[in-house]
Amino acid sequence: RRKVDSEGRCFQDRWKVEYFFTEIENHCVCLICQETVAVYKEFNVKRHYQSRHSTYDKLTGHDRSEKLKQLEAVLIECVMKMVENICPEKKQEFANICLARNTVARRIEEISSDIKRQLTSKGVDFDFFSIACDESTDLSDTAQLLIFMRGVDDEMNVTEELLDLQSLTDQTRGKDLFVSVSSAIDDMKLPWNKVTWIITDGAPAMVGERSGLSTLICNKVIEEGGKAIKLHCIIHQQVLCAKHLKYDHVMKPVLKTINFIRSKALCHRQFKQFLLDIQAEYEDVLYHNDVRWLSRGSALQRFYSLRKEIGEFLETKGQPMRELSDPIWLADLGFLVDITKHLNVLNTSLQGKDAAVNQLYSHLKAFGTKLQLFIRQLSQTQPNTIHFSALQEIMNSFPQDNISAQTSRYAADIASLAGEFKRRFQDFAAIEKEISLFSSPFSVDPEDAPDQLQLELIELHCDSELRSRHQQLSLVNFYRQLDKSRFQEIRTLAKKMLSLFGSTYMCEKTFSAMNFNKNRVRTRLSDSDLRDILRIKT
């Protein structure tokens, strides 16, 4: 027989006005007589209303809505009196209960609208702002374009918020993205001539020379009398540089072995039990996901740490991994583990909210200096592997195999990596003078500064009190207390640099929140509701 529970019936909101019913704890309750209808079925609800409360048919329109509010208020009052007698300490908790089924959705919408109103009011005071854009597809195959804004007002107050989430149901060409960004900026009533930077993830639709989003935005800003500079996200470029060291002869056997262990449930269980029996350092190997920034280094580090245990387990399975007995291959594995670890440290340092571009660029320059140190140390007659612990361990384990002869090859690979970093970060190198002038104004020769800054920079250098403040205060507070009339141009440069997004980190973080909220059991979440949730989340 068919069961009522399997029919998936649910309460309909229109029953409130039509029949004066509401839902309380999965029960359909009449607001007039407080009786319950057993099944969520309109015929039952309608029959109850027509047979007992047909006199209410004379109420229509606004009068009917007002009557509904009165009945709900009476119900709440009855509940509160009951609570006072049974559990008075819970009175406040019950007072906060709302009978409407869409209360949470409505409150989220109201909070989101309030945040948007606050951002609109702040946007009026912005002297400069930049935007960061990234696009991804959700589980319902809708292209979602995230647009973040970072603005600075005359008091050096920095505001970094989600400007909008634009849903694209058709193509995602550069001009389609531009229409969405234009709609978001115009809706917030932000002036185009105050856009100073545009940061994207480097996809063709974003950075195309003719019809890319960045190009179209820059052209629009020029038309409005401003000037914007387009930049490629510093984290995405770092990830692309990390992929320059392919080392396929190492990665392919490692990934093949990991997939062999984890792809079949029985083999995976046996491997974990094997590690448990021998009390290994770790409990399992890690999958490698090319999309995740730190995945490669984590998978390699875990494989390297368990290489002996993995070799023993594969022997018991009749699938020996010959590479584990090859000293040269192990040395390559150790080198790749070490250099990937250094790259992951850099990647982690580039992440985070509210990071100023001078901080990100300093991490990048420091890593470039580290690479030059590695090249010199590995090129010596007696190679210094102090910063390559895994490689050093392999060299000590096989002293007779003269692995040190391979270090010159590793030095060449690091030199190639350094060249890739230099090639990819040309856009940030082009604004290096502005970054240096912003972060260390007392270290820049006035003659090397732009013409409009030279006189103010001389005034700054000769003021010992300001030099002391620069050492004591944070960079934002230092520029905030500068005299507006005396250092107008320097303050303008500071505001432009403070408005700069160094990366699309906030976009990537928000996409993670999007996938968490719009998951496989919530694919019917509307685009407007998703926008409201993400606006509050960020």
Side-chain angles (χ1 to χ4, degrees):
R1 293 179 58 186
R2 186 177 66 179
K3 295 183 178 180
V4 173
D5 293 342
S6 65
E7 293 181 0
R9 299 184 184 274
C10 61
F11 184 84
Q12 303 295 319
D13 284 337
R14 59 186 177 85
W15 295 350
K16 289 185 175 182
V17 177
E18 292 180 9
Y19 310 120
F20 294 117
F21 269 78
T22 190
E23 183 186 31
I24 300 177
E25 295 185 353
N26 296 323
H27 290 88
C28 196
V29 180
C30 177
L31 288 168
I32 301 173
C33 63
Q34 284 78 52
E35 288 194 11
T36 301
V37 174
V39 181
Y40 286 130
K41 193 173 182 179
E42 186 170 10
F43 175 80
N44 296 1
V45 175
K46 185 176 181 181
R47 182 179 61 185
H48 174 91
Y49 172 76
Q50 291 179 342
S51 63
R52 301 192 181 190
H53 313 297
S54 58
T55 56
Y56 286 87
D57 285 341
K58 60 183 180 182
L59 297 175
T60 59
H62 178 72
D63 293 337
R64 198 171 184 85
S65 299
E66 287 298 318
K67 188 62 178 178
L68 174 62
K69 293 180 180 178
Q70 293 176 12
L71 292 172
E72 288 182 336
V74 170
L75 180 60
I76 294 175
E77 186 178 352
C78 294
V79 171
M80 293 305 298
K81 288 183 178 179
M82 179 181 66
V83 170
E84 287 180 8
N85 295 327
I86 299 175
C87 48
E89 70 278 0
K90 299 286 187 179
K91 181 178 179 180
Q92 187 58 44
E93 296 181 19
F94 279 87
N96 295 330
I97 295 176
C98 182
L99 297 178
R101 297 181 70 245
N102 294 324
T103 299
V104 175
R106 186 177 65 252
R107 288 176 178 174
I108 289 176
E109 182 180 355
E110 291 173 353
I111 294 172
S112 175
S113 298
D114 184 64
I115 293 174
K116 185 177 179 180
R117 284 193 296 271
Q118 293 182 43
L119 185 59
T120 303
S121 63
K122 287 183 178 180
V124 175
D125 299 325
F126 287 159
D127 289 343
F128 303 101
F129 70 93
S130 65
I131 54 177
C133 301
D134 201 354
E135 179 263 328
S136 184
T137 304
D138 62 22
L139 287 177
S140 61
D141 291 332
T142 301
Q144 304 288 1
L145 176 65
L146 277 173
I147 310 168
F148 271 84
M149 177 190 67
R150 183 182 172 99
V152 180
D153 61 18
D154 193 49
E155 299 300 325
M156 299 290 174
N157 296 314
V158 181
T159 301
E160 184 175 310
E161 293 287 348
L162 175 65
L163 181 62
D164 204 356
L165 174 71
Q166 292 280 334
S167 303
L168 293 88
T169 56
D170 201 353
Q171 298 187 67
T172 57
R173 298 166 297 181
K175 59 182 181 181
D176 302 312
L177 301 177
F178 176 70
V179 170
S180 297
V181 173
S182 299
S183 173
I185 292 179
D186 294 338
D187 181 56
M188 201 65 69
K189 297 180 175 59
L190 295 170
W192 282 91
N193 60 354
K194 292 185 178 180
V195 178
T196 52
W197 314 92
I198 167 69
I199 317 296
T200 63
D201 63 347
M206 295 283 187
V207 298
E209 287 295 328
R210 295 184 178 180
S211 58
L213 173 63
S214 300
T215 302
L216 295 175
I217 291 178
C218 289
N219 293 339
K220 175 68 174 179
V221 174
I222 292 174
E223 291 176 5
E224 297 294 328
K227 181 182 179 181
I229 298 176
K230 54 184 178 181
L231 296 172
H232 185 177
C233 167
I234 198 170
I235 300 180
H236 278 85
Q237 292 196 82
Q238 185 273 332
V239 173
L240 292 174
C241 289
K243 293 180 179 180
H244 181 71
L245 288 177
K246 296 185 180 298
Y247 270 61
D248 288 340
H249 68 288
V250 174
M251 288 301 301
K252 287 182 178 179
V254 169
L255 298 182
K256 181 180 178 181
T257 302
I258 293 174
N259 292 336
F260 171 78
I261 293 173
R262 297 202 56 159
S263 60
K264 295 182 180 180
L266 175 60
C267 184
H268 190 202
R269 289 197 302 270
Q270 292 173 339
F271 179 70
K272 291 198 294 184
Q273 186 60 43
F274 173 75
L275 295 181
L276 183 63
D277 293 340
I278 64 176
Q279 298 181 346
E281 182 180 1
Y282 298 103
E283 298 178 352
D284 202 356
V285 290
L286 301 177
Y287 266 132
H288 167 56
N289 187 337
D290 199 44
V291 176
R292 298 185 180 275
W293 293 335
L294 308 179
S295 173
R296 188 190 193 194
S298 300
L300 283 171
Q301 179 64 53
R302 184 64 60 87
F303 182 90
Y304 177 81
S305 300
L306 295 174
R307 64 189 185 281
K308 295 179 181 179
E309 292 84 350
I310 290 173
E312 295 175 9
F313 178 76
L314 294 179
E315 289 287 348
T316 64
K317 287 291 183 179
Q319 298 284 340
M321 186 176 179
R322 296 183 179 86
E323 288 85 355
L324 292 176
S325 58
D326 182 359
I328 302 300
W329 187 89
L330 287 173
D332 290 348
L333 171 63
F335 168 74
L336 188 60
V337 168
D338 290 326
I339 194 65
T340 308
K341 179 181 177 181
H342 290 301
L343 287 165
N344 280 2
V345 170
L346 171 63
N347 186 287
T348 305
S349 65
L350 296 176
Q351 298 180 32
K353 186 180 179 181
D354 298 325
V357 66
N358 60 298
Q359 298 171 332
L360 302 180
Y361 194 65
S362 65
H363 290 306
L364 195 64
K365 289 189 67 176
F367 187 76
T369 305
K370 291 177 184 178
L371 291 181
Q372 297 303 320
L373 174 66
F374 297 158
I375 293 171
R376 291 193 298 271
Q377 291 181 338
L378 294 178
S379 300
Q380 297 174 1
T381 307
Q382 295 294 327
N384 184 353
T385 57
I386 187 62
H387 302 295
F388 293 83
S389 57
L391 175 60
Q392 191 174 51
E393 182 180 358
I394 297 298
M395 292 174 64
N396 294 335
S397 301
F398 300 93
Q400 72 280 7
D401 290 281
N402 195 25
I403 298 177
S404 59
Q406 304 296 321
T407 55
S408 59
R409 176 164 58 89
Y410 301 147
D413 291 338
I414 295 177
S416 177
L417 178 63
E420 183 69 7
F421 266 86
K422 185 177 180 179
R423 182 183 70 83
R424 284 201 171 273
F425 286 97
Q426 292 179 1
D427 51 353
F428 280 90
I431 62 170
E432 183 175 359
K433 288 185 178 180
E434 287 83 353
I435 295 175
S436 299
L437 187 57
F438 166 66
S439 59
S440 305
F442 291 95
S443 303
V444 177
D445 190 336
E447 294 185 3
D448 296 333
D451 295 341
Q452 70 273 18
L453 295 175
Q454 290 178 347
L455 297 182
E456 292 185 7
L457 201 58
I458 293 174
E459 289 279 345
L460 189 69
H461 284 190
C462 295
D463 195 320
S464 57
E465 182 180 352
L466 291 179
R467 186 182 295 271
S468 176
R469 290 181 185 177
H470 182 263
Q471 296 174 351
Q472 297 172 0
L473 301 175
S474 65
L475 208 54
V476 176
N477 288 332
F478 169 74
Y479 284 109
R480 183 176 289 142
Q481 56 81 45
L482 283 182
D483 186 86
K484 296 180 181 180
S485 58
R486 185 182 176 193
F487 299 104
Q488 182 178 357
E489 294 295 335
I490 291 180
R491 282 175 55 86
T492 299
L493 172 68
K495 285 184 283 189
K496 286 184 178 180
M497 299 308 298
L498 283 172
S499 70
L500 173 56
F501 275 107
S503 70
T504 58
Y505 168 80
M506 285 304 300
C507 294
E508 298 296 340
K509 183 178 179 180
T510 307
F511 278 136
S512 297
M514 180 188 76
N515 293 331
F516 178 80
N517 284 278
K518 192 170 183 177
N519 50 46
R520 60 182 182 180
V521 297
R522 297 182 69 193
T523 54
R524 296 182 63 185
L525 185 69
S526 67
D527 295 330
S528 60
D529 288 340
L530 180 62
R531 181 189 301 112
D532 293 336
I533 291 172
L534 295 182
R535 192 185 296 278
I536 296 172
K537 177 68 176 177
T538 56

